[in-house]
């Protein structure tokens, strides 16, 4: 029995060394849940850019048993809506490609610290069912932040800022050029890798 326990401990350490063990998900770590971005879509490819800012306090409940080797954040979309300049009947499906950059920072001047990560070619589909727009098939929305930079920011130093900048391209028939499209972000999840 002792050999089995010892083997389990050795395997856990080996897996941790390979980055195969991760923390439980940290829900909405950057307080982006419920924050909205409105894209004013232009051109035949219906492309738009926008950003949103959120503030959040340090995460003081991170009990780390070992030194993490990575920090990932998975984007989440709560809902999508359409406004001015859009067709009376929103087309379905709408294929969306998104490029996103997340910058997390704290402090100012000489004490300012920041960490930035990007995700390119994030894909999702919008389906119009009556007046309900459904978001589906979100893929590629993982951002890998530098754990050595992000942990000091989110663990100490007080109030932090997260800026999520995004550019989207939509493909639909008819196209959405001239349309205002609003994405309301979900909180997403952060995960520490060991």
């Amino acid at each position: 029995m002792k050999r089995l326990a010892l083997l389990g401990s050795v395997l856990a350490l080996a897996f941790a060394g390979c980055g195969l063990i991760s923390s439980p998900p940290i829900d909405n770590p950057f307080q982006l849940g419920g924050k909205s971005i409105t894209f004013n879509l232009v051109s035949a490819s219906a492309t738009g850019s926008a950003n949103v800012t959120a503030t959040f306090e340090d995460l003081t409940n991170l009990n780390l048993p070992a030194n993490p080797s990575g920090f990932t954040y998975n984007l989440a979309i709560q809902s999508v809506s359409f406004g001015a300049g859009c067709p009376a009947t929103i087309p379905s499906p709408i294929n969306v490609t998104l490029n996103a950059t997340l910058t997390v920072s704290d402090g100012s001047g000489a004490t300012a610290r920041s960490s930035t990560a990007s995700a390119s070619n994030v894909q999702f589909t919008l389906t119009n069912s009556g007046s309900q727009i459904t978001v589906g098939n979100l893929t590629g929305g993982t951002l890998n932040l530098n754990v050595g930079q992000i942990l000091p920011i989110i663990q100490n130093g007080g109030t932090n800022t997260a800026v999520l900048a995004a550019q989207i391209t939509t493909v639909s028939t008819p196209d959405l050029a001239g349309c205002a499209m609003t994405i309301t972000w979900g909180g997403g999840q952060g995960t520490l890798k060991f």
Side-chain angles (χ1 to χ4, degrees):
M1 189 61 120
K2 287 183 180 181
R3 284 186 188 173
L4 190 56
L6 180 60
L7 178 60
S9 297
V10 169
L11 287 174
L13 286 172
F15 287 148
C18 296
L20 298 176
I21 294 179
S22 55
S23 70
I26 304 165
D27 291 325
N28 199 17
F30 306 123
Q31 298 302 306
L32 291 167
K35 299 287 185 179
S36 297
I37 295 178
T38 298
F39 299 90
N40 294 308
L41 304 174
V42 296
S43 77
S45 63
T47 300
S49 298
N51 62 49
V52 64
T53 300
T55 57
F56 62 100
E57 297 303 317
D58 288 334
L59 303 177
T60 56
N61 59 349
L62 296 178
N63 298 320
L64 305 178
N67 290 330
S69 59
F71 187 95
T72 60
Y73 175 68
N74 293 307
L75 292 171
I77 298 173
Q78 180 178 314
S79 63
V80 175
S81 60
F82 293 90
C86 297
T89 301
I90 300 300
S92 186
I94 302 169
N95 295 312
V96 183
T97 302
L98 178 138
N99 296 321
T101 300
L102 175 67
T103 302
V104 180
S105 61
D106 71 355
S108 61
T111 63
R113 301 177 292 185
S114 68
S115 183
T116 300
S118 297
S120 299
N121 203 31
V122 180
Q123 305 280 323
F124 60 95
T125 303
L126 302 175
T127 306
N128 182 9
S129 304
S131 61
Q132 181 69 31
I133 305 296
T134 304
V135 180
N137 305 320
L138 177 64
T139 59
T142 299
L143 295 95
N144 294 301
L145 291 142
N146 180 312
V147 71
Q149 294 174 344
I150 194 68
L151 280 182
I153 294 168
I154 65 175
Q155 286 188 296
N156 56 62
T159 303
N160 309 295
T161 302
V163 177
L164 181 62
Q167 178 182 22
I168 62 169
T169 301
T170 64
V171 176
S172 63
T173 304
D175 70 58
L176 297 175
C179 180
M181 177 178 141
T182 300
I183 294 178
T184 300
W185 299 101
Q189 292 185 326
T191 306
L192 286 161
K193 303 285 185 185
F194 295 94

